[in-house]
Amino acid sequence: MAAIRVRDLRKSYGAMEAVRGVDFDVEEGEVFGFLGPNGAGKTTTVEILEGYRQRSAGEVTVLGHDPAKGERALRERIGIVLQETGVERFLTVAEVLELYCGYYPRPRAVDELLTLTGLEDKRNEVVKELSGGQRRRLDLALGLAGDPDLVFLDEPTTGFDPTARREAWEVIRNLRSLGKTIFLTTHYMDEAQHLADRVAVIAAGRIVAAGPPDRLAGRNRATEIRFTAPPDHRLPDLAGASVTALDRGVVVRTDDPTAVLHVVTGWALERGVTLDGLTVSRPTLEDVYLELTAEAANGQ
Amino acid sequence: MNDAAIAARQVRFEQKAFWRNPAGAVFTFAFPLLFLVIFSTLNSGMRIEERGNISFVTFFVPGIVAFGLVSACYTNLAIRMTISRDFGILKRVRGTPVPTWAYLAGQVASSVIITFILFFLTVGLGVVAFGVEFRTGTAAGLFATLALGAACFCALGLAVSGMCPNADAAPAIVNFSIFPLLFVSGIFFPLDNAPAWLTAVGKVFPMQQLADGLQYAFDPRTTGLGFNARDLWSLLAWTVAGSVLAVRLFRWDPVKK
């Protein structure tokens, strides 16, 4: 069964339609990455799923409930880690966790939450003394207080140093191995690449691509060959590949790298030309993402 | 855990947080007690003839109790709730299964506890240090007025927090809404010789009704149990109005800038 099911979701603010017919499913036990630029309808969509906003039209089911009803039974089973949410500044880490655990029928143990998020040393620290990264880990711990089946993570590692990010990713992977479903929104493509089983990209209120990060928008098929050729040589004919000449070299994009590479290197050997900086690579998730969102922005 | 237990826990943690915040705790307690000491020292030995020859300090204590109640239930609660909303604490709470009533009951009860601590400190200090004449016969009316006043100002505090756009504006709005009333409500000095229109204005608002109801219980001329019907009914009306407004104006989300 799908943990989240969204069909033709729409949301308007006055005359402005922020979400324009969005469909997707999040399967139980997967990490679902939800990507999109600011203002694309991402936050609106997530907040509708979380029950903070009402939709204008469409169908939404979260763990079998309609989040618009604000049912307690649903809130007992989800954990929400928002951006920029405060917490009582004058309580200690352990006290805040104890308070929030008390809101749920089957909470996790405070010690467990502290261990999971690496806050054991900060247990008796007053919240206002915590650093930004520690505060963010506390956010995560609070989101997990009720031992939720589904966790919403909104930009969970913003402001983390690289080590802290890796640690946070480890926590998220652990959650996944416990069978939790995770709905992750992030601006970091490497984060989505590392964590998400599937991603969806929203741009201008619509889903423009969805799939596993490795195969998103034909990413697995497109290969980029880059090199620098001497300026006085005309390149061979590369049928079926897109060639872009940049001032510092050539980018060839192709579905058939073996053949293209053969033609290019054959041509170079024949003429005794060296191809400086020759690389063969697949576009990163970030490349694909930037292309998709730019297309959507231009199409508006 | 049932919902009442959740509310009780909320009170416990609100209290912990309150006493650890030096600014909040000191201001809430220091001002009323400081006023009591200063005014009582300045006017020691003075009696007010028009008021049944009551000693100034005995007249003054219920006014200070009213002032403390308003600080704890209105000013403090309204500012605290606005900060909680502006910082996203309320939004976070909204995402948990805690019932709205249990969370708000925790906030309100915490304010009421502070009010009663302040009451006992003020009256205690008045009796011990300044010879305030405390009447046990009117205690029933006194506590009823105190309880209703607390309910009334908590409701108004929640309503006003809904009107404050953000945490920065809250102290100004809240203090401005209550400060002028303190002076037309006969808290710091009797208004027996003030212009009639001024006292008439004061009487419309719950600040005067609360102070008057509490003073009534300390008044040597009062007979019976100390229930002042006019004040209590007026406070009840304000409580109802405040509650309706609070329900309508209360918001969980920070106001977008």
Side-chain angles (χ1 to χ4, degrees):
Chain A
M1 202 193 89
I4 300 177
R5 196 184 129 92
V6 177
R7 289 291 176 276
D8 196 29
L9 173 65
R10 287 167 192 278
K11 174 72 180 180
S12 306
Y13 300 102
M16 211 273 287
E17 199 173 28
V19 178
R20 310 170 172 194
V22 159
D23 299 78
F24 61 82
D25 288 300
V26 178
E27 299 304 323
E28 252 174 37
E30 77 172 337
V31 178
F32 185 83
F34 196 51
L35 315 176
N38 293 332
K42 191 174 46 157
T43 304
T44 300
T45 305
V46 179
E47 293 207 336
I48 288 169
L49 299 179
E50 292 165 340
Y52 284 121
R53 296 188 202 196
Q54 304 284 319
R55 60 186 182 270
S56 305
E59 260 176 69
V60 177
T61 319
V62 177
L63 300 176
H65 295 264
D66 178 352
K69 291 185 185 156
E71 290 160 295
R72 190 170 176 178
L74 173 59
R75 281 189 271 164
E76 284 173 353
R77 291 180 59 203
I78 62 173
I80 301 174
V81 180
L82 294 160
Q83 291 182 72
E84 290 171 26
T85 39
V87 69
E88 181 48 71
R89 294 165 66 236
F90 290 96
L91 294 177
T92 67
V93 169
E95 285 166 350
V96 174
L97 288 172
E98 202 192 320
L99 173 65
Y100 276 73
C101 283
Y103 294 156
Y104 296 89
R106 287 167 302 278
R108 271 175 176 265
V110 169
D111 289 321
E112 216 183 322
L113 292 167
L114 290 169
T115 314
L116 200 62
T117 50
L119 283 170
E120 299 103 319
D121 299 347
K122 299 289 164 192
R123 120 189 303 276
N124 293 320
E125 191 101 20
V126 175
V127 169
K128 71 186 177 76
E129 307 293 343
L130 296 179
S131 71
Q134 290 160 351
R135 190 83 67 98
R136 204 70 191 114
R137 277 190 258 171
L138 177 59
D139 285 337
L140 184 59
L142 288 170
L144 302 176
D147 196 16
D149 298 323
L150 167 64
V151 189
F152 290 95
L153 298 177
D154 195 3
E155 311 281 351
T157 64
T158 301
F160 279 28
D161 65 41
T163 317
R165 283 184 80 201
R166 294 283 162 166
E167 285 165 8
W169 289 357
E170 203 47 50
V171 173
I172 295 167
R173 277 199 211 98
N174 286 342
L175 291 177
R176 185 183 179 278
S177 66
L178 293 171
K180 311 289 183 193
T181 308
I182 294 160
F183 191 98
L184 170 75
T185 42
T186 181
H187 281 306
Y188 297 121
M189 294 305 133
D190 55 337
E191 187 159 286
Q193 175 79 58
H194 271 91
L195 295 174
D197 296 298
R198 287 190 309 131
V199 299
V201 179
I202 186 169
R206 290 194 182 87
I207 302 286
V208 291
D214 284 329
R215 298 209 297 270
L216 193 74
R219 193 184 145 203
N220 52 320
R221 294 193 305 274
T223 299
E224 280 182 358
I225 300 166
R226 291 167 181 263
F227 56 88
T228 313
D232 47 338
H233 289 278
R234 216 172 61 83
L235 288 178
D237 181 30
L238 298 169
S242 89
V243 181
T244 322
L246 305 170
D247 28 321
R248 297 196 53 214
V250 179
V251 182
V252 181
R253 195 167 287 181
T254 174
D255 291 348
D256 190 3
T258 317
V260 170
L261 207 55
H262 184 76
V263 174
V264 171
T265 50
W267 167 84
L269 286 172
E270 228 167 73
R271 284 166 176 72
V273 166
T274 48
L275 300 175
D276 285 335
L278 174 67
T279 57
V280 181
S281 64
R282 288 193 326 183
T284 63
L285 184 58
E286 185 151 312
D287 295 332
V288 174
Y289 168 84
L290 289 173
E291 217 161 278
L292 285 167
T293 51
E295 276 167 28
N298 292 336
Q300 259 193 320
Chain B
M1 190 155 20
N2 67 39
D3 294 353
I6 291 179
R9 274 168 56 101
Q10 192 69 39
V11 177
R12 187 154 64 83
F13 283 101
E14 291 299 334
Q15 279 292 304
K16 266 190 195 185
F18 175 82
W19 292 105
R20 275 193 208 145
N21 177 355
V26 168
F27 274 109
T28 308
F29 280 81
F31 272 136
L33 295 176
L34 210 62
F35 283 160
L36 177 68
V37 171
I38 293 171
F39 279 79
S40 301
T41 309
L42 287 177
N43 298 294
S44 67
M46 205 178 98
R47 289 193 170 268
I48 306 167
E49 223 169 289
E50 305 91 313
R51 296 242 172 171
N53 213 27
I54 191 173
S55 77
F56 176 83
V57 193
T58 310
F59 161 80
F60 192 58
V61 153
I64 286 301
V65 168
F67 175 60
L69 183 151
V70 167
S71 296
C73 292
Y74 180 77
T75 315
N76 215 304
L77 181 64
I79 295 175
R80 208 175 66 230
M81 291 309 282
T82 310
I83 290 175
S84 291
R85 189 188 70 223
D86 214 23
F87 289 6
I89 296 175
L90 295 186
K91 187 169 183 180
R92 187 199 291 279
V93 168
R94 187 71 183 140
T96 75
V98 67
T100 304
W101 81 260
Y103 182 76
L104 291 182
Q107 309 295 324
V108 167
S110 181
S111 298
V112 174
I113 288 173
I114 296 164
T115 301
F116 274 85
I117 295 175
L118 205 44
F119 167 80
F120 286 111
L121 276 180
T122 312
V123 175
L125 185 66
V127 170
V128 172
F130 301 102
V132 165
E133 295 133 38
F134 184 78
R135 300 185 53 188
T136 45
T138 53
L142 176 66
F143 284 111
T145 312
L146 207 55
L148 185 56
C152 179
F153 279 97
C154 283
L156 291 170
L158 290 175
V160 163
S161 89
M163 295 181 210
C164 294
N166 56 56
D168 294 331
I173 292 173
V174 174
N175 283 315
F176 191 77
S177 66
I178 198 72
F179 233 78
L181 290 180
L182 290 174
F183 293 97
V184 297
S185 301
I187 285 186
F188 300 118
F189 34 82
L191 292 178
D192 300 332
N193 301 319
W197 66 267
L198 194 73
T199 49
V201 169
K203 278 183 182 174
V204 174
F205 295 100
M207 188 69 249
Q208 191 276 344
Q209 295 148 10
L210 172 67
D212 191 67
L214 296 173
Q215 283 161 355
Y216 183 75
F218 280 83
D219 195 321
R221 298 167 298 178
T222 301
T223 53
L225 294 172
F227 291 87
N228 184 317
R230 183 199 80 94
D231 292 331
L232 290 171
W233 282 114
S234 308
L235 280 174
L236 186 65
W238 273 101
T239 308
V240 172
S243 307
V244 170
L245 270 176
V247 168
R248 292 190 63 138
L249 296 173
F250 188 78
R251 285 185 302 231
W252 294 95
D253 282 8
V255 180
K256 288 269 170 355
K257 280 154 202 136

